[in-house]
Amino acid sequence: PTNSTVYNIYATSTDACNIELLDKSVVSVLPTPDLDLTVSSDEICIGETAIIIIANSELGISYQLRLNADNSDIGTAVLGTGFDLEFSVSPTLTTIYNVLATGGNACAGSLVELSTVTVNPLPAQPVITASGPTTFCEGGSVDLTASIADEYLWSTGETSQTITVSTAGTYTVMISDVNTCASPISDPIIINVNPLPAVSFSGLDISFCHDALPITLTGSPIPTALTIGIFSGPGITDNGDGTAVFDPVAAGIGGPYDIVYSYSDENTCM
């Protein structure tokens, strides 16, 4: 029967006498849970948590999330509230789930709608490529380029594939794919910036008579075996040791003249 029904029984003897048995049979048909509730699916990146929602759960009904492959239980059953129910899962592969609904009368059935949690892999750890040396002098720069991806996030906050850096420090990048899954952070790349040397020279007046005697100029810093200091300009004879002779006669009448002391330190900064 589809509804609760009372049955009676008549007993008939061989002489066609009929009698109704006093006891009656009652077959109770208990309601089953609503199996047509909406069950959500989700899409995550590996390592994230997916949320499966059962819409408009029934009061007094127990809902058990199960793996659809073998009907094994996931966690414990949750009682319906009359509102939406949420289940949290963290599969490592794309997985299909079903939900078993059980009433207080032990009538049970699986909800018709299944839930598919799609799991997307993470992009590979990006690699940073420098366009040139990662150690340079103040005022220089280098381009850093990340592996090809859909989106980029550098430790500087920049979001382009290539960034230009001129400041010493450690730089990393993280990339994302079309599924917005984020990669592990790249190995760091270290940028070193060497300061420019403070350079000057002494011994030169601002004007000379055209027939004045030669004078000696002294540069600072004085060059060593690992550094270079050279004077240049009209009337200059460089001595190769951080000093030079300026001869007004050789420079000739005129000016102003540019007399320069160029110094390159052990990092070739100048």
Side-chain angles (χ1 to χ4, degrees):
T2 57
N3 298 301
S4 296
T5 305
V6 178
Y7 295 90
N8 56 24
I9 300 175
Y10 283 88
T12 303
S13 65
T14 57
D15 56 3
C17 293
N18 293 327
I19 187 171
E20 182 180 359
L21 299 186
L22 296 178
D23 283 342
K24 298 183 183 297
S25 174
V26 178
V27 176
S28 298
V29 177
L30 302 176
T32 59
D34 184 355
L35 302 182
D36 291 321
L37 301 183
T38 300
V39 181
S40 70
S41 293
D42 203 355
E43 183 172 359
I44 60 172
C45 304
I46 191 169
E48 295 179 341
T49 298
I51 302 298
I52 298 173
I53 299 174
I54 299 174
N56 301 315
S57 63
E58 293 184 279
L59 284 169
I61 302 298
S62 172
Y63 297 92
Q64 175 65 60
L65 186 68
R66 306 188 299 179
L67 284 176
N68 196 59
D70 58 8
N71 287 330
S72 58
D73 291 347
I74 303 295
T76 57
V78 179
L79 285 176
T81 61
F83 301 98
D84 293 352
L85 292 183
E86 292 186 358
F87 294 90
S88 299
V89 292
S90 299
T92 56
L93 299 171
T94 297
T95 304
I96 300 175
Y97 300 89
N98 65 54
V99 178
L100 178 67
T102 304
N105 49 35
C107 293
S110 294
L111 300 189
V112 173
E113 192 167 353
L114 301 177
S115 173
T116 299
V117 175
T118 302
V119 180
N120 297 309
L122 303 182
Q125 183 186 38
V127 175
I128 299 175
T129 303
S131 62
T134 55
T135 297
F136 48 83
C137 301
E138 183 180 349
S141 65
V142 66
D143 289 342
L144 303 181
T145 301
S147 309
I148 294 177
D150 290 279
E151 295 181 351
Y152 307 87
L153 180 60
W154 291 87
S155 52
T156 60
E158 294 170 276
T159 56
S160 56
Q161 183 181 6
T162 298
I163 64 173
T164 301
V165 298
S166 57
T167 305
T170 300
Y171 296 83
T172 59
V173 68
M174 184 169 59
I175 61 175
S176 300
D177 61 17
V178 67
N179 298 311
T180 69
C181 293
S183 71
I185 296 176
S186 68
D187 289 335
I189 187 169
I190 299 174
I191 302 300
N192 299 298
V193 179
N194 295 315
L196 300 180
V199 180
S200 64
F201 69 89
S202 61
L204 187 66
D205 291 332
I206 60 171
S207 64
F208 293 87
C209 295
H210 74 278
D211 57 353
L213 295 175
I215 60 171
T216 298
L217 309 181
T218 302
S220 177
I222 293 295
T224 67
L226 299 177
T227 62
I228 300 173
I230 299 175
F231 279 94
S232 61
I236 288 291
T237 300
D238 184 75
N239 296 323
D241 60 358
T243 66
V245 173
F246 172 66
D247 185 354
V249 174
I253 297 174
Y257 298 121
D258 290 330
I259 307 300
V260 177
Y261 178 60
S262 301
Y263 178 83
S264 175
D265 65 15
E266 58 273 11
N267 297 312
T268 69
C269 294
M270 58 186 300

